[in-house]
Amino acid sequence: MRELYDWVPWFTELAKSIADCEPSDLAARAHRIPWKTDGSIVQLLNYGNDNIDPFSFIYTLAANCTKNQRVRLCESVSSEFALSTPPPEDSDDAFIFPQGYALNTLFHSKGDGNPNVLWRLFRSASQGAAFIDAEDFRDALNIKQVALHKLTQTLFLANPCEFLPLDDSTKKLLPNPNTRINSWADYQTALSNIRTLFPGCALYEANLVAYLRHSGTFSTVGLRVFQVSTNVNNDGEDKWNEFEAKNAVWTGGPGGGASWDAFKSGTEPSKRYPLREPEPGDLILVRTARHGRAIGITFRNGYVSEFSSEGRLHVVWINRLSTADLLSSRQSFGLSRAIQIKEKFFDNDAYRPTRTLLDRLGYGGKAPDAAKVVAPLNQVLYGPPGTGKTFDTTGLAVSIVDGTDMDSEHNSKRFNELRFDAKEDADPEEDTGNIAFVTFHQNFAYEDFVEGIRPVLDKADLRYELRDGIFKLIAKEAHSRPGERFVLIIDEINRGNIAKIFGELITLIEDSRRLGQPEETFATLPYSQESFAVPKNLYLIGTMNTADRSIQLLDTALRRRFKFRECMPNPKHRLIATDVNGVNCRELLQAINERIALLLDREHQIGHTYFLNVDSLDELASVFRESVFPLLQEYFFDDWAKIRAVLANNAFVEPAPQPPFPSPDLIDEDRKLYNRLPDKHEGWLSADNYQAIYSLKHDRTSDE
């Protein structure tokens, strides 16, 4: 996976070449580059040659390195600047760098900027961080339309060994992600903090790890851990230099004398060797006999598709320090052995920064001990529909109860085993489970949640009795089993009337007011008159759909008492196909969501779960007809012009002829009618119609 960083030397040489240019020379070259194939003009060329500064040029280039034109564009730039470094290969793995937004690539506001400062700063940056003038950095940051993330992303593209973008992904690496960066000194401090987390690694490697975690490629980091020796053939030959150079590790065989062919065919099941187990985000500990050599994160497991001696585990390095006399000499890929070895790694000074890094990336592989696994007592997963929020609560709840790391995909069975038996008369000696699930809705009330009087039909007589709600039942069980953890999942928490449902509990669920805490608080329940408090081993997990308008009315008291974790669409999810009869569903979803975000907002995007395991045009058509279209109609209130824009004016929606009308003066001249393809229409099964959404090759005629 060396191509992961192929862009680094190419952009570095380009930046130095630009720095050596005169402004007029850069402007002339910018006009000669064929930025677009459809005849449209990039923003860079719209405001005169004086405003073609190096920052705007580099950012425009990065933003236009889309899949369909990046090779052509990079080759043209290479030729124009006579670069000796080959452009990045035509691979998605070679184009993982900040690309920004194509509609906001300029470092000025319609010509109102400071090109002299930008030229000085860029020339200094191409030489290195030591040459930067603090006032130039501040002045560039203060230019209208230039924000911190945009400025630092371009500095990073110009010199990825010396700078790092401070954007939504990398800020999570800081001790306090909300730290304000207002000066060059602040930025240098932030870089220093992040460098310490990646011993022996380059800043562009740190950026890649942060991006992969933020984008969802690494849904978790350090969830599981494996180890591998550099003595791959057990012959004393050290392969570390090859491991490092190729961003990959491998082994000499299944072990125990088994052959590759025998293991592959399954004729030697006793020789099972879990090479196929590491998944993106899993930790790989590299050693040579007793010596620790490095730590990497699994990027892709080549053994899954190519189970042979040529297979590779592709990794991203996060720590390249070596230590002596760290481990025993035994080799094993197994989980149990690797977990023990991980603690020996992390007890060593060389690898302690990696433990901190994993903690900041989230779910960083804590030891499987409930006392060591920390989770908020009250948290809400929020995001657009179809982003897997409810599904994620499965793994999250199990991880809390069992004291292990979150792994939603492997915990469905365990989740069912832990389901809470919500019975008032349950046998106290019987295991009633630890995880309860409830969904809020408009009619859900305090009487359902805590306690209330309910009617009971007993033969011919009607009577009333006091019943405990789900919250009170699981709270009582948690109180009776203080050595265990309990979880109550509240799906669609924002759809209920919080004040009506929680009542006095809104105060009792606070961390500091739980049983045994400094501000331990009891309340007298209104129906039973019982004195009640919430135990500290009961965790609440809510889910919230940001596309639901009721989110705007979310109770302020609830917001203050819960931690909120965003769950956004992940178009690169491994279960989304890249070739369904020629349709790349990942690019399809990404294109749709980018347009929704521009036309509406990011909270109304389409979730990735709608596209999971879609492997035929029939299934894809069903997803569009039954899920995507209804959401678009709801989002845009049947504004078909915008729906067409989201779909790149493809064939699914077409302008309808204007019918005869007796009083045409009553019709708005801009009013147009549209028709959606009938459900049985063969157009739903046309790969071209889906490709048009993300390729923009479809004929985008006007609605006239």
Side-chain angles (χ1 to χ4, degrees):
M1 299 303 296
R2 189 62 187 173
E3 64 267 26
L4 278 173
Y5 307 114
D6 277 353
W7 66 271
V8 171
W10 188 78
F11 267 96
T12 301
E13 184 183 359
L14 173 61
K16 290 180 179 179
S17 181
I18 291 174
D20 291 337
C21 286
E22 292 298 323
S24 59
D25 187 19
L26 178 63
R29 292 180 177 185
H31 281 283
R32 289 195 294 267
I33 291 173
W35 296 99
K36 300 286 188 179
T37 58
D38 59 3
S40 60
I41 305 298
V42 293
Q43 289 180 324
L44 180 70
L45 308 180
N46 285 339
Y47 297 97
N49 289 349
D50 290 343
N51 287 300
I52 301 180
D53 63 85
F55 280 88
S56 298
F57 182 94
I58 287 284
Y59 210 60
T60 297
L61 171 61
N64 283 278
C65 279
T66 56
K67 184 167 186 174
N68 293 327
Q69 64 176 15
R70 59 196 182 194
V71 172
R72 175 191 59 79
L73 188 56
C74 288
E75 288 179 350
S76 175
V77 170
S78 284
S79 175
E80 188 63 49
F81 287 88
L83 302 181
S84 60
T85 304
E89 296 180 9
D90 186 17
S91 162
D92 288 342
D93 296 340
F95 283 84
I96 303 179
F97 52 74
Q99 292 186 275
Y101 297 100
L103 298 179
N104 185 21
T105 61
L106 304 183
F107 280 68
H108 56 79
S109 178
K110 297 183 179 180
D112 181 15
N114 196 334
N116 291 332
V117 164
L118 293 172
W119 272 99
R120 286 200 306 270
L121 182 61
F122 191 89
R123 284 168 170 158
S124 300
S126 68
Q127 299 179 71
F131 296 88
I132 295 292
D133 183 274
E135 291 187 7
D136 285 345
F137 182 88
R138 180 202 61 201
D139 291 345
L141 194 58
N142 289 334
I143 297 174
K144 191 175 181 180
Q145 296 296 327
V146 176
L148 178 70
H149 76 278
K150 189 173 170 182
L151 178 63
T152 56
Q153 282 179 344
T154 314
L155 286 171
F156 174 65
L157 289 167
N159 196 334
C161 294
E162 297 269 336
F163 301 99
L164 186 75
L166 285 186
D167 49 26
D168 290 343
S169 60
T170 54
K171 276 192 169 183
K172 294 177 181 178
L173 299 175
L174 295 174
N176 180 5
N178 296 320
T179 299
R180 294 189 63 82
I181 309 297
N182 297 315
S183 67
W184 173 246
D186 293 341
Y187 179 55
Q188 287 292 87
T189 299
L191 291 190
S192 178
N193 283 330
I194 294 175
R195 282 182 191 274
T196 62
L197 301 178
F198 294 86
C201 298
L203 285 175
Y204 54 79
E205 292 174 292
N207 174 75
L208 178 62
V209 171
Y211 168 79
L212 293 174
R213 178 67 177 98
H214 183 73
S215 66
T217 302
F218 295 159
S219 58
T220 57
V221 177
L223 173 66
R224 301 186 303 171
V225 58
F226 298 84
Q227 62 145 340
V228 64
S229 171
T230 61
N231 182 14
V232 297
N233 296 314
N234 201 27
D235 58 3
E237 184 179 357
D238 186 354
K239 294 288 187 179
W240 164 244
N241 289 338
E242 292 182 55
F243 281 12
E244 181 181 29
K246 296 180 179 179
N247 294 302
V249 302
W250 57 91
T251 183
S259 67
W260 283 99
D261 290 340
F263 181 71
K264 185 176 181 180
S265 65
T267 58
E268 296 190 31
S270 62
K271 305 299 183 183
R272 177 171 172 78
Y273 198 74
L275 289 171
R276 287 177 169 171
E277 290 188 15
E279 297 178 350
D282 286 343
L283 218 58
I284 302 295
L285 309 177
V286 181
R287 63 182 181 83
T288 304
R290 300 177 184 273
H291 307 309
R293 297 301 293 268
I295 300 177
I297 301 175
T298 303
F299 177 72
R300 181 178 297 121
N301 190 343
Y303 286 109
V304 173
S305 59
E306 185 186 9
F307 194 70
S308 70
S309 58
E310 303 302 317
R312 295 292 184 266
L313 275 173
H314 306 288
V315 301
V316 178
W317 299 116
I318 58 175
N319 190 323
R320 285 200 184 90
L321 297 188
S322 297
T323 62
D325 297 328
L326 184 66
L327 312 165
S328 68
S329 60
R330 179 182 174 188
Q331 179 179 354
S332 171
F333 247 93
L335 279 169
S336 59
R337 177 67 174 162
I339 289 173
Q340 301 170 18
I341 290 178
K342 184 187 74 169
E343 294 307 314
K344 294 183 179 180
F345 262 77
F346 287 170
D347 283 343
N348 188 281
D349 289 342
Y351 302 116
R352 286 199 182 100
T354 302
R355 185 189 288 275
T356 303
L357 169 65
L358 297 179
D359 290 342
R360 291 184 187 173
L361 290 173
Y363 301 105
K366 302 285 190 179
D369 177 352
K372 295 183 180 179
V373 177
V374 178
L377 284 173
N378 308 316
Q379 61 180 305
V380 170
L381 311 185
Y382 70 98
T387 52
K389 300 179 292 297
T390 303
F391 179 77
D392 283 347
T393 62
T394 301
L396 184 54
V398 171
S399 73
I400 291 172
V401 172
D402 285 349
T404 57
D405 294 292
M406 180 181 172
D407 186 4
S408 297
E409 294 186 15
H410 300 286
N411 275 330
S412 57
K413 180 179 179 181
R414 180 61 176 152
F415 177 79
N416 290 328
E417 293 173 350
L418 290 170
R419 287 299 296 267
F420 180 65
D421 184 10
K423 295 180 180 178
E424 289 189 272
D425 56 351
D427 185 347
E429 299 298 321
E430 183 180 344
D431 185 359
T432 59
N434 301 68
I435 302 173
F437 188 99
V438 66
T439 301
F440 279 4
H441 50 79
Q442 289 86 344
N443 292 327
F444 204 83
Y446 181 93
E447 289 75 12
D448 303 302
F449 195 56
V450 186
E451 64 172 18
I453 297 174
R454 292 298 188 191
V456 178
L457 183 61
D458 186 12
K459 295 183 179 179
D461 299 327
L462 179 64
R463 61 184 177 85
Y464 294 87
E465 66 179 22
L466 181 63
R467 286 188 183 176
D468 291 340
I470 184 62
F471 184 92
K472 186 178 177 183
L473 287 171
I474 196 170
K476 288 167 65 177
E477 190 67 21
H479 180 63
S480 68
R481 292 150 65 184
E484 300 176 40
R485 291 180 172 185
F486 292 76
V487 177
L488 175 59
I489 298 172
I490 306 173
D491 202 24
E492 303 286 359
I493 193 170
N494 56 307
R495 295 186 63 84
N497 185 325
I498 298 302
K500 178 182 177 183
I501 295 172
F502 274 83
E504 65 278 2
L505 295 184
I506 202 66
T507 297
L508 301 186
I509 64 173
E510 289 188 38
D511 293 16
S512 62
R513 295 183 182 274
R514 301 285 188 106
L515 275 171
Q517 298 305 306
E519 300 176 39
E520 179 183 85
T521 302
F522 286 79
T524 301
L525 299 181
Y527 290 97
S528 65
Q529 294 298 299
E530 292 179 10
S531 182
F532 182 81
V534 179
K536 60 183 178 182
N537 61 330
L538 175 59
Y539 294 73
L540 303 182
I541 303 175
T543 68
M544 190 167 68
N545 183 354
T546 56
D548 191 321
R549 298 179 188 88
S550 62
I551 186 178
Q552 300 172 3
L553 306 176
L554 187 64
D555 193 281
T556 303
L558 186 75
R559 285 187 181 276
R560 186 167 63 83
R561 290 168 171 84
F562 280 72
K563 305 292 185 183
F564 284 75
R565 197 183 88 197
E566 187 177 59
C567 301
M568 294 302 290
N570 175 20
K572 294 186 178 181
H573 195 286
R574 64 186 182 85
L575 296 181
I576 299 180
T578 58
D579 186 4
V580 177
N581 290 78
V583 178
N584 188 324
C585 292
R586 295 184 181 184
E587 292 193 20
L588 177 66
L589 177 59
Q590 182 170 338
I592 289 173
N593 280 337
E594 286 175 349
R595 293 173 193 139
I596 291 175
L598 286 172
L599 291 172
L600 196 58
D601 56 53
R602 64 192 297 273
E603 282 70 38
H604 284 76
Q605 296 181 57
I606 305 294
H608 55 272
T609 62
Y610 294 109
F611 292 82
L612 299 186
N613 298 310
V614 171
D615 58 9
S616 70
L617 283 178
D618 279 335
E619 293 179 358
L620 184 58
S622 178
V623 167
F624 260 75
R625 289 193 305 260
E626 300 167 13
S627 298
V628 174
F629 252 99
L631 280 174
L632 293 177
Q633 289 177 264
E634 178 184 348
Y635 287 175
F636 295 104
F637 301 96
D638 282 335
D639 184 338
W640 288 95
K642 290 183 178 178
I643 293 175
R644 288 197 77 209
V646 170
L647 301 176
N649 295 350
N650 79 340
F652 294 155
V653 180
E654 298 179 340
Q658 184 71 42
F661 197 79
S663 302
D665 293 338
L666 298 177
I667 302 176
D668 187 341
E669 62 181 4
D670 294 326
R671 175 73 173 173
K672 293 181 176 63
L673 298 178
Y674 296 88
N675 288 329
R676 193 190 99 163
L677 286 184
D679 287 352
K680 302 292 186 181
H681 196 284
E682 62 183 7
W684 293 108
L685 301 178
S686 168
D688 291 342
N689 288 338
Y690 297 98
Q691 292 167 350
I693 296 174
Y694 59 85
S695 67
L696 293 179
K697 292 179 179 178
H698 190 77
D699 181 18
R700 293 173 291 176
T701 57
S702 68
D703 293 344
E704 299 296 314

